[in-house]
Amino acid sequence: MSDRQNTDHTSSEPFISGIIVHVIFRNEDNGYTVLKTKVKKSQPQIDDKKITVVGNFPVIDLDERYRFEGTFKEHPRFGRQFQATSYKKEIPTEKETLIAYLASDRFTGIGKKTAAKLVEHFGNNVISAILDDPDKLKDIAGFNEKKRKVIYQNMLENQGMERAITTLTRYGFGMELAVKIYNTYHEETYSIVQNNPYQLVWDVKGVGFYKADRLGRSLGISYEDPDRIKAGVLYILFEKTMQDGHVYLPHELLVKEGAALLNENYEGVPEHLLEEALLELAEEDKLITEEDRVYMSSLYYAEQGFVSKVNKMLKEGDDEASFSEAEFLEALGETEEELGIEYADQQKEAIQQALTSSLLILTGGPGTGKTTVIRAIVDIFARVHGLSLDRSTYKKGESFPILLAAPTGRAAKRMKESTGLEASTIHKLLGYTGEEDEGAFEKGEKEPLDGKLLIIDEVSMVDMWLANQLFRAVPEGMKVILVGDEDQLPSVGPGQVLTDLLETKKIPVVSLSVVYRQAEGSSIIQLAHSIKDGALPASILQPYADRRFFSCNTQQTAEVVEQVCKSALKKGYTPMDIQVLAPMYKGPAGVNALNERLQQLFNPHEQKKRKVSFGETTYSKGDVVLQLMNDPEREVFNGDRGIIEAVFNANETADKQMQIVLSFEGKEVTYTRQELGQITLAYCSSIHKAQGSEFPIVIVPMLMAYRRMLQRNLLYTAVTRAQDYLILCGEQAAMKFAVDNENKSDRYTTLKEKFLQRESN
């Protein structure tokens, strides 16, 4: 490592220097603290003898003097406060005072004589000198290794944290992220930040390569430093898998992309250094190289494990002997009579094959009766196996034999409504813990699911990692039915599991192709199937009872969308009934701009209405929001759509924090201001986020400005979200461009290849 730059400097920013006299509130999880400080010095100078300081502080000590940097703010009720963005404990500088400070109870193991020696040798900067180079303690006679270690550890525990936090905030890390970093490394934080900031990339969520590299450059780390190159390569591999859906990257492409990233601010990193970094990362099991393919380790093992489990299930064989043809026909007739349905031949075939196969894929587009078939499978499976579908007949602790799940809460709700049985998200079914990798779920090989039949809907949304976790929890003898529409968008995460499974041609598949809802006169269904077949109907501009197209350009689109929403509100629809879906986030007709405009239409921020701001967004009661991450403790998951029911000011809550109460399908969940990063406005959503959901009214702008995102499965997915009414607006040319651009499978995966390899072995 090269020499580090000196990070100490005098700030011209507003500051408060004073002694902590009272901690009013503290959240130990994130360090958020409200404290009363006796002012000794400030900039600008203030007359207040005491002031309230608010910020994220991992550790704070009463009766100690601190320097806080940040901004002064006027609270409407509590008056002037200081919002701290960084802080550090101030150390006494006079010789005798400093000796007494080091000899105090704060530094166990350092007596007055030792303190005097330290101050005599290092001067007023004794603590900084020792933290910068603990080996300098060897220069003091009489200090053995044990004593030197005690002194250094004391310095780390008492001042290392403040130095680490100060360094991080000074180089662009927010206080909350700085606290998160400290909670990861504790007393090692300063050393790691100074010597290998690139370690943060894979140890701390929220620290990407660019933030770490900015810190590294500030500290004078060489652009050819091995830690920098490894972090850059791993960052590219992670981003390409998580953002673009690849399970692996070709070796040549990874090296090319890695070089582009690493050379962004430098003359050039030699290619051989990238090759060496790849070898080291493979030795550390952070990635796996197979032939010319490079995988994140977790995805390599996920793909391998999934293939192994599916092959094992297929070898277990079918279940044709458990009931006769006559028993099946009798049960089918009883179900038809009870439900008032007469199943078509294609549907009967699907039902029978599902009951006799250990693993089956059921596919079909909108209106082909997938939901109807699922209901029949559940009912007839129970009949032929003598099982009750009445949960009240099962004793406490006794498992229910049929498990239903889907990737999103809304898709699970649809399963429940169509079958009359409980359904959950896959994460909830598996007991998601929020941990990483192997500890992410309670259910797995050691504690499998308990039941006889498992049906998973919307499988096109399931990525490679989740598919492996799900199948790891499937016990021997359990039947699994995967239901999905192969023409929809693939999963947001890595892989294209449904597509790859279908292409192996090793798993029994029933494809429902007859459109039954056609008879109901649904022009939405007709349009969806035309798009699926690669044709834009000549009647696209023609108005239908359930579908309209409004021509407009990019600048006009937001106004058209707003007028359509106004019309829907006048007809009695609520904001939760209406969903605008846009392909991109940025631009005048992107998700962000449309959300801002529609919020003013659906829920204008009246002066008296309670509000809470987070980032650039202001929320108030009545706003429709979208959950952005899985929160297993509160049973709220990525993609869930809810509404803000109440906003409480800090003085109205027990823990003195502002709180927001959200309702997700009737389930109320409380968020603090610090947790608002988990949600976003949902008047307009990306099409990807809407997968697995349906809405009474769907409005879809289609513009050539979205060109780089437009493809057939994107438009098909958007159209099939509409239950009753579909409003398309924009440019007909953009619709045609999307339909003509099939571009369905451009992800790097080896799932199909590994299946075929297993077959040949």
Side-chain angles (χ1 to χ4, degrees):
M1 300 279 180
S2 60
D3 293 339
R4 310 302 194 200
Q5 297 175 359
N6 187 354
T7 63
D8 294 333
H9 65 277
T10 302
S11 173
S12 60
E13 297 294 320
F15 73 85
I16 289 285
S17 175
I19 297 170
I20 309 303
V21 293
H22 177 53
V23 175
I24 300 168
F25 171 79
R26 179 165 175 78
N27 183 332
E28 293 296 343
D29 292 334
N30 59 16
Y32 180 78
T33 310
V34 180
L35 49 85
K36 188 69 73 174
T37 304
K38 186 176 181 180
V39 180
K40 293 293 185 181
K41 191 177 180 182
S42 68
Q43 179 179 294
Q45 187 172 342
I46 60 173
D47 296 329
D48 309 56
K49 292 183 178 180
K50 292 180 182 178
I51 192 170
T52 300
V53 178
V54 180
N56 293 83
F57 315 122
V59 177
I60 208 81
D61 295 318
L62 280 173
D63 303 323
E64 293 285 354
R65 182 163 173 165
Y66 286 86
R67 177 189 172 99
F68 300 98
E69 294 185 0
T71 55
F72 288 95
K73 291 191 176 180
E74 196 70 28
H75 191 279
R77 181 174 177 187
F78 301 112
R80 177 151 45 184
Q81 294 183 340
F82 191 78
Q83 183 75 46
T85 54
S86 67
Y87 83 121
K88 65 179 179 180
K89 188 181 287 185
E90 294 194 322
I91 302 168
T93 53
E94 296 82 1
K95 184 175 180 180
E96 290 303 318
T97 307
L98 185 54
I99 290 171
Y101 176 72
L102 292 175
S104 69
D105 292 340
R106 297 179 188 87
F107 298 88
T108 56
I110 299 179
K112 196 166 184 178
K113 287 184 179 179
T114 299
K117 279 187 177 182
L118 291 171
V119 174
E120 191 66 38
H121 185 83
F122 292 108
N124 284 348
N125 292 323
V126 53
I127 295 176
S128 293
I130 293 170
L131 287 174
D132 284 340
D133 189 0
D135 285 341
K136 286 183 178 178
L137 287 167
K138 294 177 181 177
D139 298 337
I140 302 177
F143 284 9
N144 59 28
E145 184 179 350
K146 184 178 179 181
K147 192 172 189 69
R148 292 196 301 269
K149 187 175 181 180
V150 167
I151 293 169
Y152 178 63
Q153 283 300 121
N154 268 281
M155 301 300 179
L156 268 180
E157 289 171 11
N158 284 275
Q159 297 298 326
M161 180 269 295
E162 282 91 350
R163 291 191 76 198
I165 295 291
T166 301
T167 301
L168 288 165
T169 54
R170 190 167 288 154
Y171 289 116
F173 293 83
M175 182 65 84
E176 197 165 343
L177 185 55
V179 171
K180 191 174 180 181
I181 293 167
Y182 180 77
N183 287 339
T184 300
Y185 300 120
H186 299 289
E187 68 270 11
E188 296 179 8
T189 302
Y190 187 74
S191 174
I192 289 171
V193 166
Q194 288 286 312
N195 296 296
N196 184 15
Y198 297 100
Q199 183 73 24
L200 275 61
V201 175
W202 46 70
D203 285 351
V204 185
K205 203 170 185 177
V207 180
F209 177 80
Y210 289 101
K211 282 182 180 175
D213 201 36
R214 204 160 49 236
L215 178 59
R217 291 201 308 273
S218 300
L219 295 170
I221 295 177
S222 166
Y223 74 97
E224 292 188 355
D225 187 284
D227 289 325
R228 177 178 185 265
I229 296 172
K230 285 197 292 183
V233 169
L234 201 63
Y235 175 78
I236 286 291
L237 185 57
F238 180 80
E239 285 295 295
K240 289 293 182 182
T241 55
M242 298 310 295
Q243 299 298 324
D244 297 341
H246 301 303
V247 172
Y248 73 90
L249 281 186
H251 181 277
E252 185 179 346
L253 177 62
L254 178 57
V255 171
K256 179 183 175 183
E257 295 277 354
L261 173 73
L262 293 163
N263 292 327
E264 210 169 277
N265 296 292
Y266 298 96
E267 293 179 3
V269 175
E271 191 173 301
H272 73 88
L273 292 181
L274 273 78
E275 298 288 359
E276 289 173 13
L278 285 171
L279 288 173
E280 285 186 38
L281 287 167
E283 288 173 5
E284 296 166 9
D285 201 32
K286 287 191 171 73
L287 56 79
I288 289 177
T289 299
E290 186 178 74
E291 297 177 1
D292 67 337
R293 302 183 294 265
V294 186
Y295 303 76
M296 297 289 295
S297 296
S298 60
L299 286 175
Y300 177 83
Y301 293 125
E303 204 174 59
Q304 291 277 59
F306 181 73
V307 170
S308 177
K309 183 58 179 277
V310 170
N311 271 305
K312 183 181 177 184
M313 289 178 67
L314 293 174
K315 286 177 183 176
E316 286 176 8
D318 296 339
D319 190 25
E320 295 177 9
S322 65
F323 57 90
S324 66
E325 178 81 8
E327 287 175 310
F328 167 71
L329 293 174
E330 181 182 354
L332 177 66
E334 290 172 354
T335 297
E336 287 182 322
E337 185 177 347
E338 186 175 304
L339 300 179
I341 297 173
E342 185 177 346
Y343 296 107
D345 291 342
Q346 192 180 56
Q347 292 175 320
K348 289 177 183 177
E349 178 197 342
I351 297 163
Q352 187 167 17
Q353 189 153 4
L355 295 174
T356 57
S357 301
S358 58
L359 176 62
L360 176 79
I361 299 175
L362 176 65
T363 69
T368 57
K370 293 193 302 293
T371 302
T372 304
V373 170
I374 292 173
R375 172 68 190 271
I377 290 169
V378 167
D379 199 78
I380 296 171
F381 181 86
R383 290 180 190 275
V384 298
H385 289 93
L387 303 171
S388 171
L389 294 180
D390 183 355
R391 284 186 176 268
S392 66
T393 62
Y394 292 84
K395 298 175 183 177
K396 188 177 180 181
E398 191 175 2
S399 62
F400 193 73
I402 299 173
L403 305 176
L404 307 179
T408 67
R410 289 185 69 88
K413 185 186 177 189
R414 290 209 323 272
M415 288 187 84
K416 179 179 179 180
E417 290 169 349
S418 65
T419 63
L421 300 181
E422 288 297 319
S424 71
T425 62
I426 296 172
H427 282 80
K428 185 176 180 181
L429 177 74
L430 297 178
Y432 182 61
T433 64
E435 300 296 326
E436 299 291 331
D437 297 331
E438 293 301 311
F441 298 102
E442 294 171 357
K443 297 293 183 182
E445 289 171 332
K446 293 180 180 178
E447 189 180 343
L449 296 167
D450 193 0
K452 299 179 182 298
L453 173 65
L454 171 64
I455 303 178
I456 304 295
D457 200 5
E458 298 287 355
V459 176
S460 62
M461 297 177 64
V462 178
D463 63 34
M464 187 67 259
W465 186 77
L466 184 58
N468 180 52
Q469 297 297 323
L470 175 64
F471 272 67
R472 285 178 70 238
V474 173
E476 187 175 343
M478 175 181 275
K479 290 183 178 300
V480 178
I481 298 170
L482 304 177
V483 184
D485 185 346
E486 59 182 302
D487 295 297
Q488 284 190 36
L489 287 166
S491 58
V492 174
Q496 46 190 25
V497 176
L498 179 60
T499 298
D500 286 347
L501 287 178
L502 290 168
E503 289 183 357
T504 65
K505 301 189 186 307
K506 299 298 177 186
I507 299 169
V509 178
V510 176
S511 296
L512 301 176
S513 56
V514 179
V515 180
Y516 299 98
R517 258 197 281 172
Q518 194 93 355
E520 300 173 16
S522 171
S523 75
I524 300 172
I525 301 292
Q526 294 171 9
L527 176 61
H529 282 275
S530 294
I531 293 169
K532 175 181 175 179
D533 296 335
L536 188 66
S539 62
I540 187 64
L541 301 181
Q542 181 180 330
Y544 288 85
D546 61 350
R547 171 166 63 86
R548 293 290 299 272
F549 183 95
F550 295 102
S551 293
C552 55
N553 61 34
T554 303
Q555 300 307 319
Q556 297 166 333
T557 298
E559 176 66 26
V560 171
V561 169
E562 183 176 348
Q563 291 305 317
V564 171
C565 291
K566 279 183 180 178
S567 177
L569 288 175
K570 286 178 182 177
K571 291 177 181 177
Y573 288 95
T574 70
M576 288 293 284
D577 296 327
I578 306 164
Q579 181 65 72
V580 181
L581 299 176
M584 293 176 66
Y585 282 89
K586 295 181 180 178
V591 171
N592 297 335
L594 289 173
N595 258 327
E596 189 175 332
R597 183 161 184 156
L598 293 173
Q599 185 185 38
Q600 293 308 308
L601 168 66
F602 287 123
N603 194 35
H605 289 155
E606 300 162 1
Q607 192 170 359
K608 293 182 180 179
K609 188 179 284 188
R610 289 184 177 184
K611 310 175 193 64
V612 57
S613 296
F614 186 86
E616 297 180 1
T617 305
T618 299
Y619 300 96
S620 64
K621 180 180 177 180
D623 272 329
V624 178
V625 298
L626 189 75
Q627 178 76 10
L628 297 174
M629 59 187 70
N630 293 317
D631 189 339
E633 287 186 14
R634 295 187 283 199
E635 296 186 358
V636 181
F637 298 95
N638 186 3
D640 285 353
R641 197 165 177 252
I643 190 165
I644 297 178
E645 294 288 355
V647 176
F648 293 104
N649 292 324
N651 63 304
E652 298 174 310
T653 64
D655 58 4
K656 302 303 178 187
Q657 289 199 78
M658 176 171 273
Q659 293 181 351
I660 300 91
V661 179
L662 277 78
S663 174
F664 294 95
E665 304 285 355
K667 178 183 176 63
E668 291 194 346
V669 180
T670 301
Y671 291 72
T672 62
R673 186 197 293 273
Q674 286 72 39
E675 293 171 322
L676 292 184
Q678 294 187 31
I679 63 171
T680 188
L681 290 173
Y683 301 108
C684 181
S685 167
S686 71
I687 297 169
H688 281 87
K689 286 287 186 186
Q691 277 185 273
S693 299
E694 289 183 351
F695 311 91
I697 298 177
V698 169
I699 304 163
V700 185
M702 277 284 129
L703 301 160
M704 290 305 291
Y706 304 140
R707 178 191 292 262
R708 69 181 183 86
M709 292 294 293
L710 297 181
Q711 57 192 54
R712 188 183 301 172
N713 56 7
L714 183 91
L715 179 57
Y716 175 81
T717 301
V719 166
T720 53
R721 299 309 93 205
Q723 290 174 314
D724 302 325
Y725 296 97
L726 171 68
I727 307 297
L728 297 159
C729 59
E731 299 159 345
Q732 187 178 356
M735 293 273 293
K736 188 172 188 314
F737 183 88
V739 172
D740 291 343
N741 183 20
E742 187 171 9
N743 194 23
K744 187 176 178 182
S745 177
D746 59 353
R747 295 187 172 194
Y748 294 117
T749 80
T750 41
L751 186 60
K752 178 183 173 183
E753 182 180 321
K754 284 184 166 72
F755 265 112
L756 298 177
Q757 284 176 350
R758 294 256 180 171
E759 185 73 16
S760 61
N761 290 342

